[in-house]
Each structure stands twice: as structure tokens, then as C-alpha cells.
Amino acid sequence: MTGPADEKDVTLLRPYLMTSGRSAPVDHTIEIEAQVVTSALGAASHPQLNFERRDIVSLCRTNMSVAEIAAMLKIHIGVARVLVADLAALGYLVVRRPDTDLPKDLRMIERVIRGLEAIR
């Protein structure tokens, strides 16, 4: 018979099992806002994948961020990064990174800040 303590141990062990004990993704540069989409290989391989990997490939048939994947599957963001990086390294997913060219127009930045303050 299992009790609440046993269930807690299982939930702590599960992320470790999902990532094969790894806490860092194979590509440590994957941002949580990076957009992920299933590749043709991923769509064709979908039936052979298991558990969260299959779920991620299925979710990413439309563009989805790493953060959205974690939220939809109710998994830790670090686990999502590891799994997405693994699937991308295998060619099942395509990762589209955000444009890192930040705007340099000070007036535009001030308008965004005033707009955000108005929302509060």
C-alpha cells in the first residue's frame, strides 16, 4: 500500500527518469521563449516515440514556445528544455530562436514602459 510520502518520492523521481538523470540540455542555449515546431522526421516518427517525447512532438505541430510546452504538459521548465533539446538534436523538432537584435530606439522603449505601467 502506498501513502502520501511514497507519492512524493515518485513525483520527485519522475523528472529524473524523463531526462535520463540530466539536468542540463544538450544545447544549453535553448531559451524558454524559443519557438519549436515538429519537423517532417518528427511527424513521421511520432508513433515510435514514447511518453513526453511523443506529447511534445504532437504539441509542436503548431509553433509553441518551450515555456508553453512545459505549461501544457505540466512539467518543470528545465525538464522541458532537456527534452526539447534532445528531440531537436535527433531532428524531430526545429527550434527557432528569438531575434536577439534589441531595439535601440529610446522613445519606443519608453512608450512600451508607459504602456505596461498603464496596464497595472
Side-chain angles (χ1 to χ4, degrees), residues 46-47 49-59 87:
H46 178 265
L49 298 174
N50 45 13
F51 307 116
E52 287 78 15
R53 287 168 179 81
R54 181 180 54 236
D55 294 341
I56 291 171
V57 168
S58 181
L59 276 175
L87 290 166

Side-chain angles (χ1 to χ4, degrees), residues 7-72:
E7 290 173 11
K8 182 181 178 195
D9 290 342
V10 169
T11 58
L12 291 174
L13 183 60
R14 189 168 176 259
Y16 178 85
L17 293 174
M18 283 190 283
T19 63
S20 300
R22 293 173 296 123
S23 60
V26 290
D27 178 357
H28 67 279
T29 65
I30 292 181
E31 306 88 349
I32 63 171
E33 66 273 14
Q35 296 295 302
V36 182
V37 67
T38 300
S39 68
L41 175 63
S45 302
H46 178 265
Q48 288 83 33
L49 298 174
N50 45 13
F51 307 116
E52 287 78 15
R53 287 168 179 81
R54 181 180 54 236
D55 294 341
I56 291 171
V57 168
S58 181
L59 276 175
C60 294
R61 291 179 193 261
T62 60
N63 270 354
M64 187 165 290
S65 72
V66 175
E68 289 172 306
I69 293 166
M72 297 287 286

